[in-house]
Amino acid sequence: MDTIKEFNEHVMGSYGRYDLVLEKGTERTAVDENGKEYIDFGSGIGVNSLGFCNEAWVKAVCEQANSIQHTSNYYYTKVQADFAKKLCESTGYEKIFFGNSGAEANECAIKIARKYSFDKYGKEAERNIIITLVNSFHGRTMATLSATGQDVFHNYFFPFLPGFVNVKANDIADLKAKLTEYEGKVCAVMFEFIQGEGGVIPLEKAFVDAIFEECGKRDILTIADEVQTGAGRTGKFLTSQNYGVQPDITTLAKGVAGGVPIGICMAGKKCCDTLTPGTHGSTFGGNPLACAGGNAVLDTVLAEGFLDEVNKKGEYFRKKLAEIPEVEGVDGMGLMLGIRLKSKNASEVCKACLENGLLILTAKTKLRFLPPLNISYAEIDKGIEILTKILG
Ligand SMILES: Cc1ncc(COP(=O)(O)O)c(C=O)c1O
């Protein structure tokens, strides 16, 4: 209790926290300060993609710390070059910008989209609107909050950045109507393939295809926010690969460096040279420790058979969840899953799970599961057993 008291006296109260002090972790098990163990179905909101203290990841980060931990972006590092090359080769993108968080990755995407149109169509064209989706989540900075299509996040912080227009997810008519209403003024459409914070809601394939068709006709950039869905989470390295499309820009963060802060903005041919010296930057962006962690994650996730296992485990997890009588339905893809409950309150279930040694997440009224990508079948079984007991 002393830690919690000290913490609350000195750390700003911007989060609702559980009364739990986590001290360490081994593989996929978290341990609190009293030595109690927890199965982890949340992985720090999808960040610890290889679980806790994964051997290869620890080795890579520690070796890097012992070599060079930071340089400014006035200089080059091999670890950053290697990471960027691996990302490009595995995704088909041309070039990368490195930041430190999902919001920063999206800020970069927004800036590229606006500058792409500015460079090509001129200032007077005012071609700067970015269409985003109702119920989306793109981050907590002012631009990404402006992009976020959920009023609940908009309290207090007015005024927001102009130039964002929302379209209803999976509503092709609304998409077409907004593109017509703002004809000639839209520079990008930005979306999550699966709305994560919005409640684990996948976009329909027909809607995604319509985005690409309509944007293609008008030279509007497509921006996929894969901060939560990317880096192997849904059984392919990028969820766009599950939908069979290649957005002009994709952003990554969370699990891509396995627990070191990172944000990645990847751009294709059309706009990979839009940012020029002085137009964007980040002191910590491309930090060698983050890139070393990222290289270890990529080496593991892209190794032969790993993503097939993610798919198999995702199917197994989904089936087990669907068998629980209180579960009304399971949504999501791979190891990004959400369940609709028949009558129970998700937050209360989450608290009860914690008391019983299981860490899970909520998303709106659903329970959300983002386990480490290398979770074992035995750990899935153990966690589901606890959940089943609580759901009654
Ligand atoms: C889809 C999506 N985009 C952006 C963000 C913001 O990422 P960060 O908190 O790293 O800034 C999140 C975080 O949950 C997210 O899920």
Side-chain angles (χ1 to χ4, degrees):
M1 265 319 195
D2 283 346
T3 304
I4 295 178
K5 187 169 173 293
E6 182 184 276
F7 194 105
N8 287 334
E9 274 171 15
H10 300 100
V11 178
M12 290 189 196
S14 63
Y15 300 99
R17 295 178 200 266
Y18 297 104
D19 284 346
L20 171 67
V21 181
L22 288 175
E23 201 166 79
K24 58 182 181 180
T26 28
E27 298 192 324
R28 274 79 55 191
T29 307
V31 181
D32 74 13
E33 59 178 353
N34 303 313
K36 181 175 166 183
E37 294 193 345
Y38 300 80
I39 293 278
D40 188 7
F41 277 0
S43 65
I45 322 188
V47 169
N48 296 329
S49 48
L50 305 182
F52 297 103
C53 308
N54 172 269
E55 209 181 320
W57 181 87
V58 170
K59 186 168 178 283
V61 174
C62 289
E63 276 177 11
Q64 191 59 50
N66 271 316
S67 158
I68 188 163
Q69 83 276 24
H70 175 79
T71 68
S72 74
N73 278 308
Y74 289 125
Y75 314 113
Y76 297 93
T77 58
K78 176 151 172 47
V79 67
Q80 191 180 142
D82 288 346
F83 188 35
K85 181 168 185 263
K86 268 184 215 170
L87 283 165
C88 288
E89 283 175 358
S90 55
T91 60
Y93 282 104
E94 294 290 319
K95 287 184 183 170
I96 310 290
F97 180 87
F98 289 112
N100 312 286
S101 66
E104 269 188 67
N106 289 337
E107 288 273 344
C108 179
I110 290 165
K111 286 179 77 173
I112 290 176
R114 289 200 168 157
K115 188 168 182 299
Y116 172 83
S117 267
F118 184 102
D119 291 346
K120 194 161 172 183
Y121 297 92
K123 188 178 178 193
E124 291 68 32
E126 294 182 338
R127 200 178 186 274
N128 53 34
I129 288 176
I130 297 177
I131 289 185
T132 62
L133 303 184
V134 173
N135 197 43
S136 58
F137 183 81
H138 296 296
R140 301 278 192 167
T141 59
M142 288 306 286
T144 57
L145 266 186
S146 306
T148 291
Q150 294 191 63
D151 287 342
V152 63
F153 295 109
H154 291 167
N155 288 329
Y156 318 117
F157 306 115
F158 301 98
F160 286 100
L161 233 63
F164 292 91
V165 168
N166 293 152
V167 157
K168 289 191 207 102
N170 295 326
D171 188 335
I172 296 174
D174 193 28
L175 172 72
K176 287 186 177 171
K178 294 282 165 38
L179 284 170
T180 306
E181 185 179 346
Y182 296 99
E183 194 72 61
K185 298 292 172 197
V186 179
C187 65
V189 174
M190 181 168 169
F191 57 90
E192 300 152 88
F193 284 104
I194 304 172
Q195 296 188 326
E197 301 305 306
V200 196
I201 303 170
L203 291 187
E204 287 162 14
K205 169 87 172 109
F207 182 71
V208 170
D209 287 344
I211 292 178
F212 281 77
E213 194 183 324
E214 296 303 321
C215 288
K217 282 187 216 161
R218 296 171 166 88
D219 190 25
I220 292 172
L221 298 185
T222 47
I223 304 174
D225 176 347
E226 293 227 37
V227 164
Q228 194 162 147
T229 58
R233 176 58 54 194
T234 66
K236 297 261 192 221
F237 186 69
L238 296 179
T239 303
S240 55
Q241 294 160 340
N242 276 320
Y243 280 84
V245 292
Q246 177 81 353
D248 295 302
I249 298 175
T250 288
T251 58
L252 294 172
K254 293 198 187 286
V256 70
V260 220
I262 195 152
I264 292 172
C265 180
M266 308 190 288
K269 267 201 180 63
K270 238 183 183 181
C271 54
C272 65
D273 292 319
T274 299
L275 295 178
T276 46
T279 53
H280 197 45
S282 160
T283 298
F284 286 111
N287 171 271
L289 299 181
C291 291
N295 277 324
V297 169
L298 257 55
D299 288 346
T300 305
V301 169
L302 297 172
E304 178 128 18
F306 186 91
L307 289 172
D308 291 339
E309 272 300 302
V310 170
N311 277 316
K312 280 189 206 144
K313 284 174 190 168
E315 279 313 305
Y316 182 78
F317 206 130
R318 176 186 282 271
K319 189 172 149 283
K320 288 272 165 185
L321 288 170
E323 281 167 12
I324 303 173
E326 168 64 15
V327 172
E328 194 174 77
V330 187
D331 303 305
M333 217 180 263
L335 284 171
M336 176 175 184
L337 297 170
I339 55 176
R340 284 164 271 137
L341 298 171
K342 286 184 183 155
S343 61
K344 295 224 157 46
N345 175 286
S347 300
E348 280 163 20
V349 173
C350 208
K351 264 188 220 147
C353 284
L354 197 143
E355 279 156 21
N356 285 273
L358 174 66
L359 304 181
I360 53 172
L361 303 161
T362 57
K364 295 265 175 93
T365 57
K366 287 184 186 173
L367 291 177
R368 178 170 41 148
F369 305 88
L370 299 170
L373 301 179
N374 56 358
I375 192 164
S376 69
Y377 287 97
E379 287 155 350
I380 296 176
D381 286 347
K382 206 164 156 191
I384 296 275
E385 196 184 306
I386 296 172
L387 183 64
T388 307
K389 194 177 91 190
I390 283 154
L391 288 177

